[in-house]
Amino acid sequence: MEYVEPIRDIEKINAIKRILKKSSQRDLLLFVFGINTGIRVHELLFLKISDVWGGERVKEFLYLKDADREEEKAYYLNDRIQRELKNYLSQIDFKESDYLFKSKKNDQPITRQQAYRIINSAAKEVGITEKIGTHTLRKTFGYHAYRKGIAISLLMEIYHHHSSSETLRYLGIDKSEKRLVKVDVNL
């Protein structure tokens, strides 16, 4: 497996969203879902609509079985995901048993290769020159979560890492970088 980078620049993330929105709401949802949850792409691709849709509205949490640890894990579906999910579901005819990221050719989910092409093509279009792949979504989530003050211990748990240095290396963060954290309780 080749080493890929997170997308560090928020402006480039927003530019990718604009590009994907023009081409496909499904593809935009895949990108937004990945960068906001850190879920592995192969797990995203096999999500069913029933995993995120409660019959009348989008669920607040997605529950997935963690294959590495044999336990169920909850993922919060934030406002960005909720908005794109609602937009996507309002544009398609669906059954709750359908795959969320269904291929246009058949009733199967899109492939990892197709997900790669979607992400890589949009990244190149906005001028990203670093190596980008499906794992970029997961790394982008962790990079920005860490930058926004999420404890490294939580990210270690998400990524199943054994040390903070392993997680920082994975996210492409240099330990010597000075980092200002806004502790903004704002009660």
Side-chain angles (χ1 to χ4, degrees):
M1 178 189 283
E2 277 194 55
Y3 182 79
V4 297
E5 295 290 329
I7 303 169
R8 293 173 176 88
D9 184 339
I10 298 287
E11 283 306 311
K12 296 219 179 198
I13 289 171
N14 289 330
I16 289 171
K17 288 180 189 176
R18 287 189 296 273
I19 287 166
L20 293 174
K21 188 168 189 73
K22 283 186 218 168
S23 66
S24 165
Q25 184 65 34
R26 179 201 66 196
D27 298 350
L28 172 62
L29 177 60
L30 175 68
F31 181 74
V32 168
F33 217 118
I35 65 172
N36 281 282
T37 62
I39 296 172
R40 291 177 180 101
V41 166
H42 73 270
E43 292 175 300
L44 285 176
L45 296 180
F46 285 92
L47 290 177
K48 301 275 186 136
I49 289 178
S50 60
D51 293 326
V52 297
W53 181 251
E56 293 182 27
R57 65 176 169 230
V58 174
K59 294 178 181 178
E60 185 176 17
F61 286 91
L62 165 66
Y63 296 93
L64 292 177
K65 187 92 165 162
D66 187 330
D68 295 335
R69 300 202 176 159
E70 292 298 318
E71 59 189 35
E72 193 170 66
K73 189 165 184 174
Y75 294 90
Y76 176 62
L77 303 182
N78 68 17
D79 291 341
R80 302 262 165 123
I81 296 170
Q82 297 246 350
R83 181 178 58 227
E84 299 309 338
L85 258 169
K86 287 174 191 168
N87 286 343
Y88 177 55
L89 294 175
S90 71
Q91 294 175 15
I92 62 170
D93 289 324
F94 65 87
K95 298 184 298 265
E96 288 191 28
S97 59
D98 287 343
Y99 287 105
L100 183 59
F101 300 106
K102 190 166 87 168
S103 170
K104 293 171 183 158
K105 297 176 183 172
N106 56 42
D107 288 336
Q108 296 301 306
I110 62 171
T111 63
R112 273 183 74 86
Q113 293 79 11
Q114 181 62 18
Y116 170 81
R117 283 191 291 271
I118 290 163
I119 295 158
N120 204 42
S121 172
K124 282 183 179 167
E125 198 171 327
V126 302
I128 294 175
T129 56
E130 294 90 1
K131 288 197 181 301
I132 298 295
T134 56
H135 222 60
T136 293
L137 304 181
R138 189 165 160 81
K139 288 187 174 192
T140 300
F141 162 78
Y143 178 86
H144 289 283
Y146 180 74
R147 290 287 182 218
K148 290 183 177 192
I150 299 299
I152 194 70
S153 59
L154 291 175
L155 295 171
M156 284 170 53
E157 186 178 324
I158 288 168
Y159 295 122
H160 304 297
H161 290 167
H162 300 292
S163 69
S164 59
S165 60
E166 179 184 13
T167 303
L168 291 171
R169 193 174 340 102
Y170 175 78
L171 298 176
I173 295 171
D174 183 354
K175 283 192 279 187
S176 65
E177 285 179 43
K178 289 287 181 211
R179 180 174 154 250
L180 296 174
V181 176
K182 293 180 183 177
V183 179
D184 187 11
V185 176
N186 209 8
L187 299 174

